[in-house]
Amino acid sequence: MLTRDFLQQADCKTAFGAIEETLLLTPEQRAASLASTLAQRPDSGPVWVFGYGSLMWNPIFEAEEVLPATLQGWHRAFCLRLTAGRGTQHRPGRMLALKAGGQTRGLAFRLPQAQLEDELALLWKREMVTGCYLPTWCELTLDGGQRITALVFVMDAQHPLFEEDTCHQVVTPLIASASGPLGSNAQYLFALDRELKNHGMHDDAIGELASSVRQWLQQHAPLAG
């Protein structure tokens, strides 16, 4: 599992596997992206981050409060071609992102103001290695009805790694077959499915995809003997 120490010390050029040089953001580009995002901060209140994938079970950054929340206008989709981390260039998988339409249930993390920039810099090193996401300020609704503004990483549909076709027939064998330095692509999907169920959050598309990948793995398991 990705750890805070690993991420702090990681060289993005090599730590996650072989990433095409032209896709990598430099540390200076990541810092500029973070500064630009903070400059667009809509208010001076607490900074919240919306977790809808691995941030839910392994956020790494420090948070003072974690609450269930709903994001309108976006839905989970494995629409990001995965060539590092849990996939390779020769056997790419698919990573999770948010595409326009629908809604997403997840967790809202309130970051400590005193360590805000350090925690966000770590988050940028994790999520913005290739700049495939658009850090966006969005409105979330907490379970009690309160509305907050949070930082959400949505898919950049103009990015070279964006994949439009996310039907299960296409995605299932990719996720089932891919693995890399951080583990297998299927492990990520199963962890997501489990975490959503642990929180009582229903995402039919994720549950169906997890079942499809499990079935594929059973059908393609090597014969004993």
Side-chain angles (χ1 to χ4, degrees):
M1 182 180 288
L2 195 65
T3 66
R4 187 178 179 95
D5 286 344
F6 172 86
L7 191 57
Q8 285 174 329
Q9 299 171 22
D11 179 349
C12 293
K13 291 183 178 180
T14 58
F16 307 106
I19 301 177
E20 187 178 333
E21 190 79 21
T22 58
L23 295 178
L24 277 170
L25 294 192
T26 65
E28 293 76 17
Q29 287 173 318
R30 287 201 308 272
S33 169
L34 173 54
S36 174
T37 301
L38 286 175
Q40 299 170 43
R41 188 174 168 184
D43 56 54
S44 58
V47 170
W48 295 78
V49 174
F50 184 59
Y52 58 88
S54 62
L55 291 182
M56 294 180 67
W57 68 86
N58 185 31
I60 291 179
F61 54 72
E62 298 292 333
E64 293 185 328
E65 192 174 9
V66 184
L67 297 171
T70 301
L71 171 67
Q72 296 290 345
W74 300 89
H75 68 278
R76 289 182 182 87
F78 280 86
C79 59
L80 173 58
R81 188 163 73 256
L82 185 62
T83 59
R86 295 179 181 270
T88 65
Q89 292 185 24
H90 299 295
R91 183 167 285 184
R94 287 290 183 91
M95 185 43 64
L96 189 67
L98 292 177
K99 289 179 68 178
Q103 69 174 26
T104 301
R105 293 273 289 147
L107 297 177
F109 297 84
R110 181 166 60 84
L111 272 55
Q113 182 62 36
Q115 295 90 35
L116 182 61
E117 295 205 16
D118 288 342
E119 298 304 321
L120 286 176
L122 195 65
L123 179 61
W124 249 250
K125 191 173 183 181
R126 172 179 176 157
E127 301 294 337
M128 296 293 285
V129 173
T130 64
C132 55
Y133 296 112
L134 296 174
T136 307
W137 297 100
C138 297
E139 184 178 89
L140 304 181
T141 304
L142 303 179
D143 279 6
Q146 179 186 356
R147 295 184 178 182
I148 61 171
T149 299
L151 189 57
V152 182
F153 289 89
V154 304
M155 185 69 216
D156 179 0
Q158 304 303 314
H159 195 274
L161 295 178
F162 171 68
E163 295 285 357
E164 179 66 43
D165 193 346
T166 57
C167 72
H168 290 180
Q169 293 90 333
V170 170
V171 174
T172 292
L174 296 174
I175 292 179
S177 304
S179 64
L182 298 183
S184 76
N185 204 175
Q187 287 170 339
Y188 176 97
L189 171 61
F190 298 155
L192 172 62
D193 185 46
R194 183 169 57 249
E195 187 71 10
L196 290 172
K197 290 174 179 174
N198 287 343
H199 287 283
M201 297 177 180
H202 302 288
D203 190 317
D204 291 341
I206 297 300
E208 291 168 6
L209 181 57
S211 296
S212 179
V213 170
R214 287 191 184 96
Q215 184 177 17
W216 192 99
L217 289 170
Q218 290 172 355
Q219 292 174 347
H220 293 80
L223 297 174

